[in-house]
Amino acid sequence: MALLIESVSKAFGEVKALDGISLEINPGEVFGFLGANGAGKTTAMRIVLDIIRPDSGSVTWNGRLNTELPRETWGYLPEERGLYAKMTVLEQLVFFANLQGVRGKAAVRETRDWLERFRIPDYADRRAEQLSKGNQQKVQFIAAILHDPQVLLMDEPFTGLDPVNVALLKQAFLELKDRGKTIVFSTHQMETVEEMCESIAILDRGRVVVAGSVRDVRRSTGRQMVRLAVQGDSEIAWLGTLDGVHVTRRGQDYTEAEVAPGHDPGTILAAALSRGCEVRHFQMTDPSLEQVFIERVGQIDATERTLAPSAVQR
Amino acid sequence: MSGWRTLFPNAWYIAMREYRGRVRARSFVIGTGLLAVIAFGAAQLPILIDLSLSTSQTRVAVVVTATGMPSDSLAVLDRQLNGQSADPNAHKAYVLSWMPGGDVASARKDLEAGKTGALLVIDRDAAGDLRFSIRTDMPADGRVVQSMTPALTSLEIEDRLFRAGTSTAALLAPYDLTVSPVKGSPGGGRDASTEISNYLLSTGLIVLIFMAIVTYGVWVAMSVAEEKGSRVMELMLNATTPMQMLAGKMLGNGAAALTQYGLILASVVGGLLAQAPIHKAVVGTESSAQFGGLSPSVIGAFVVLFILGFTLYSLLYAALGSLVSRQEDVQSATSPLMVMIMAGYFMSVAGLQAIDETWVRVASFVPFFSPYLMLARVSAGHVEAWEFGLAVVLLLAAIAVALFVAARIYSAGVLLYGQRVGLRQIIRAARVPR
């Protein structure tokens, strides 16, 4: 009972867009897809939607192959946004609802309902070309969810929205999650992922670098982060001299250091006290997703370049 | 290809959207209105021509100093100039005042005063033949002199025959002539005027199909490229299947095409129907224009071939349209198709001259050309029922194949952005199933 992506590969000519990715996304979960441009996020989504077929591997939802599922199962917000410029908002939303199996008055009612929720009920009779980009994006989001799909796939849903609309969209996400929908979205914004997602996968060059719950992913490096602030010494120069400790950020508020796997962060506190420092702040955390992302994606990048330069032909 | 089973109702929704979008567009409304007005006006052209003829009248004074002319000379001249009409009230372009032994000097005064438009003096030369002299300010190659010349020739001949003791009536008395067809071969026993009107009709119908495929086929390609360019395609891809999109676009644009054609044709028919009463009111005589030889079988064949031909070509237009990212590129992407359509058109125009040639018969079964050539043969009346049936079956088969290939090119093509798409990519796209 899940969205299962099993050993999916897809090549476009010479370029391997996906190289045997496997993922399990649990029903009712908010799942984040992370990856640099060209990592294969969009291709993966299109394969799940059966818009393109993989060269090998399969996708199942609750045990049924995606090729056999009705299209209404999915709601899709593509990365490339577009609407019919000359049609009114209401007309085209009803059109999309019709295509996805919502008929007659129900389509109009649902459309008006969602426009209301996104605070754009007055735009129902405007042509799409008269709307701002942000409002067009909201209309597209509505087009993706009007038919109450079981699984939502959203490609960069938050880019290009102002903070107010981002908040509105996040609210809608949570509401859909409460209704039991499974939501998969891709993004570059790490804070959004840490805020919204239960599980994530980091993709790089068509491979899953790391996947799992957000906490597991953050711990996957084995490193821990320590934030330390002491009275009267904003530099804390001695911190970098400790074994297995690497300072990553120096600030007026606190200094952040990375503690290598196998080293006890507690030794930092002990060292500070033994030097007679007045500790104002001491915090142990996991690395942020951003740090994990940069480390993992950067690392693979480096190995591939040094070990297998011939494999990176583009 | 699970799209087969679930073609509807989505194809229907897409067709409705396409149709509404087309028909509501200002360019469609204005274009259709303009063409309808032009078509209506064109149907009234015979009235204008007749009217311009009927309002002009030339008075011709005929001073006859020659003697011994046949008694019906005036009647012959009148008939030659004004044509034969049973209607005594019919309009006459020339009013003749016949003045035997008249005074040339006073007739010239009338001419100079503008009371008459021309002065014709008839006398005899030394050999006894009639001699004519026309005095007029109208140009020597103008209508008056042009139509006077054969009339005078008739008069001269009439006079010479009269003097020789015979008459044209005796000379032109009917004789026996029988023409019979060789063993009921097709086209036998038709008279020449039917052949000519069929030729004109065929040409007209072929042009109609040609125009429809070129104009409305491009619509289909445009609408695909538009969706791709505005990226609505991405939303559509999840909501529908390529097969549904193809079918919907064909239906919607085809219906819009038929709407425009229907309105224009209705305007032509309306114009022709209105022509008779208008002609009567304006010109005062019955119209001489008549409906051509449109038989139900020709109309039926036209509708069938129109729909099948449009379907086949619009499928290919949709496939080619899916390969470009911008509407501006549609023209160049669809040019190979244009060449094919032009080839079929020119073949059929050439084929009309040689409707019974073997190559015309063979080509009239080839799906891409049959919409033209089979229509040409049907309207020429040179075709057996089974031949038409075979052409239709082959067309349907070609449509099935085209649908299959087009759906594959389409489903791959709509995802290709910003690339120059060559033949190799098209073939590769068509090989990979969705």
Side-chain angles (χ1 to χ4, degrees):
Chain A
M1 287 293 281
L3 177 60
L4 274 179
I5 300 172
E6 289 175 294
S7 327
V8 167
S9 291
K10 176 78 188 176
F12 295 109
E14 309 276 293
V15 183
K16 275 198 169 178
L18 291 179
D19 192 1
I21 69 161
S22 294
L23 285 172
E24 181 173 352
I25 296 161
N26 294 314
E29 198 172 52
V30 179
F31 190 95
F33 252 141
L34 296 174
N37 293 325
K41 292 169 291 178
T42 302
T43 306
M45 286 194 182
R46 284 178 172 171
I47 285 176
V48 170
L49 292 164
D50 194 28
I51 290 173
I52 48 181
R53 291 262 160 94
D55 298 335
S56 61
S58 66
V59 177
T60 54
W61 165 245
N62 291 344
R64 283 179 72 189
L65 277 172
N66 64 338
T67 52
E68 289 157 9
L69 285 164
R71 305 213 69 83
E72 298 94 84
T73 313
W74 318 101
Y76 178 46
L77 178 69
E79 186 184 4
E80 298 284 358
R81 310 287 151 68
L83 291 167
Y84 290 109
K86 303 280 177 203
M87 280 175 97
T88 68
V89 169
L90 186 68
E91 268 179 340
Q92 56 191 314
L93 284 176
V94 168
F95 171 65
F96 284 117
N98 284 336
L99 289 179
Q100 308 256 31
V102 185
R103 304 276 138 82
K105 281 185 183 145
V108 180
R109 201 177 50 233
E110 277 290 306
T111 302
R112 290 207 182 274
D113 206 37
W114 274 104
L115 288 173
E116 191 83 43
R117 235 177 290 183
F118 274 113
R119 303 183 193 167
I120 46 171
D122 303 341
Y123 291 1
D125 296 319
R126 290 210 198 161
R127 289 200 304 274
E129 60 189 359
Q130 297 171 309
L131 266 58
S132 71
K133 280 227 159 182
N135 283 327
Q136 287 192 21
Q137 200 165 329
K138 287 197 270 184
V139 172
Q140 282 149 2
F141 179 80
I142 295 173
I145 55 168
L146 262 179
H147 58 292
D148 202 25
Q150 297 171 41
V151 186
L152 272 169
L153 293 133
M154 312 247 154
D155 214 345
E156 306 280 354
F158 298 105
T159 46
L161 288 179
D162 62 44
V164 176
N165 283 319
V166 168
L168 274 173
L169 195 57
K170 282 179 181 170
Q171 206 181 321
F173 263 48
L174 295 176
E175 197 181 314
L176 289 165
K177 180 181 152 54
D178 286 344
R179 287 203 217 162
K181 309 299 173 197
T182 307
I183 301 170
V184 180
F185 73 94
S186 71
T187 182
H188 296 296
Q189 292 160 307
M190 302 296 165
E191 318 86 71
T192 313
V193 175
E194 291 190 62
E195 182 189 343
M196 312 272 310
C197 297
E198 287 146 298
S199 300
I200 60 160
I202 295 179
L203 261 64
D204 185 54
R205 305 214 180 158
R207 291 187 204 151
V208 177
V209 176
V210 60
S213 73
V214 171
R215 210 177 55 168
D216 290 347
V217 169
R218 286 175 65 175
R219 287 184 177 171
S220 66
T221 61
R223 267 176 254 277
Q224 284 199 291
M225 306 305 291
V226 167
R227 288 172 182 174
L228 180 70
V230 298
Q231 188 68 32
D233 180 8
S234 60
E235 289 282 307
I236 324 183
W238 53 267
L239 195 56
T241 64
L242 293 178
D243 190 25
V245 177
H246 172 64
V247 176
T248 54
R249 174 181 177 274
R250 288 184 197 276
Q252 290 300 314
D253 45 355
Y254 57 82
T255 299
E256 191 178 75
E258 202 177 69
V259 183
H263 293 264
D264 180 10
T267 57
I268 293 177
L269 184 59
L273 293 172
S274 72
R275 282 164 201 261
C277 298
E278 192 184 329
V279 177
R280 295 181 55 88
H281 181 93
F282 180 79
Q283 186 188 12
M284 287 174 10
T285 61
D286 297 319
S288 70
L289 275 181
E290 188 164 356
Q291 284 164 324
V292 176
F293 181 86
I294 290 168
E295 183 184 326
R296 291 304 196 112
V297 171
Q299 190 184 319
I300 286 180
D301 199 358
T303 46
E304 272 204 354
R305 255 178 226 143
T306 49
L307 297 178
S310 58
V312 203
Q313 286 174 350
R314 295 246 159 158
Chain B
M1 293 286 137
S2 55
W4 287 108
R5 272 172 290 138
T6 56
L7 209 51
F8 293 97
N10 277 7
W12 175 249
Y13 288 122
I14 295 168
M16 287 294 286
R17 200 203 75 76
E18 289 283 335
Y19 181 77
R20 284 206 198 111
R22 280 289 164 212
V23 175
R24 280 187 201 163
R26 197 173 299 156
S27 57
F28 181 93
V29 175
I30 294 173
T32 309
L34 218 60
L35 286 171
V37 168
I38 291 171
F40 190 90
Q44 314 304 327
L45 271 183
I47 298 179
L48 281 182
I49 294 166
D50 285 2
L51 191 64
S52 80
L53 289 180
S54 68
T55 45
S56 71
Q57 201 168 50
T58 311
R59 305 184 70 87
V60 182
V62 187
V63 177
V64 186
T65 54
T67 51
M69 284 175 66
S71 56
D72 60 348
S73 291
L74 173 60
V76 168
L77 195 58
D78 188 65
R79 194 165 63 233
Q80 287 291 329
L81 283 173
N82 290 320
Q84 218 153 5
S85 177
D87 184 0
N89 298 323
H91 169 76
K92 288 187 172 185
Y94 296 93
V95 178
L96 303 173
S97 33
W98 189 261
M99 298 178 279
D103 179 5
V104 178
S106 74
R108 273 186 73 167
K109 263 183 206 149
D110 286 347
L111 180 68
E112 279 153 17
K115 285 181 186 166
T116 56
L119 170 61
L120 172 65
V121 179
I122 308 176
D123 58 6
R124 287 189 190 281
D125 63 12
D129 282 338
L130 288 178
R131 190 168 60 180
F132 307 102
S133 70
I134 303 170
R135 192 177 294 272
T136 179
D137 276 344
M138 294 177 192
D141 56 352
R143 189 166 59 87
V144 174
V145 179
Q146 286 288 317
S147 48
M148 207 90 109
T149 315
L152 298 181
T153 308
S154 303
L155 210 58
E156 182 73 64
I157 291 169
E158 197 82 18
D159 180 67
R160 285 177 189 167
L161 288 172
F162 180 69
R163 282 185 286 136
T166 179
S167 72
T168 38
L171 217 67
L172 298 179
Y175 59 99
D176 260 357
L177 172 67
T178 320
V179 180
S180 34
V182 184
K183 209 179 72 173
S185 70
R190 292 165 171 277
D191 62 38
S193 77
T194 316
E195 290 283 324
I196 289 167
S197 82
N198 274 340
Y199 176 78
L200 290 175
L201 182 69
S202 314
T203 313
L205 292 178
I206 287 165
V207 168
L208 279 181
I209 284 197
F210 171 72
M211 294 288 290
I213 288 175
V214 170
T215 316
Y216 307 119
V218 170
W219 278 6
V220 177
M222 282 289 192
S223 111
V224 176
E226 185 192 356
E227 277 181 5
K228 225 182 132 182
S230 72
R231 311 279 171 149
V232 183
M233 187 59 88
E234 308 258 335
L235 274 177
M236 292 295 289
L237 281 173
N238 185 49
T240 65
T241 63
M243 207 69 107
Q244 290 168 345
M245 275 191 262
L246 274 179
K249 282 182 186 304
M250 246 158 47
L251 284 176
N253 285 298
L258 282 179
T259 304
Q260 190 168 64
Y261 253 48
L263 287 172
I264 294 167
L265 285 181
S267 159
V268 171
V269 172
L272 288 175
L273 289 177
Q275 191 212 321
I278 295 178
H279 193 283
K280 184 119 185 139
V282 175
V283 186
T285 57
E286 293 295 337
S287 167
S288 54
Q290 279 170 1
F291 287 100
L294 269 178
S295 67
S297 67
V298 170
I299 294 174
F302 174 72
V303 170
V304 168
L305 292 171
F306 183 99
I307 289 171
L308 293 182
F310 177 78
T311 305
L312 179 62
Y313 276 105
S314 66
L315 276 171
L316 299 181
Y317 265 113
L320 289 180
S322 75
L323 296 175
V324 299
S325 310
R326 297 178 308 152
Q327 277 186 297
E328 298 91 298
D329 297 332
V330 167
Q331 286 295 346
S332 62
T334 56
S335 54
L337 208 49
M338 193 67 195
V339 170
M340 197 129 113
I341 296 169
M342 295 293 275
Y345 173 68
F346 286 124
M347 268 171 77
S348 59
V349 171
L352 278 176
Q353 314 277 3
I355 205 77
D356 294 321
E357 296 272 341
T358 313
W359 71 266
V360 177
R361 286 193 187 191
V362 171
S364 71
F365 295 110
V366 177
F368 287 100
F369 307 132
S370 54
Y372 309 115
L373 280 168
M374 190 46 82
L375 183 67
R377 291 185 61 198
V378 168
S379 53
H382 294 210
V383 76
E384 308 271 340
W386 70 263
E387 288 183 301
F388 182 74
L390 181 61
V392 167
V393 168
L394 287 174
L395 253 179
L396 286 171
I399 286 170
V401 173
L403 185 63
F404 183 73
V405 173
R408 285 198 166 187
I409 293 178
Y410 188 88
S411 56
V414 290
L415 292 170
L416 297 174
Y417 280 102
Q419 315 176 5
R420 280 187 60 87
V421 181
L423 194 63
R424 270 180 58 206
Q425 271 143 312
I426 296 176
I427 292 167
R428 190 163 62 210
R431 261 210 322 255
V432 182
R434 155 147 181 217

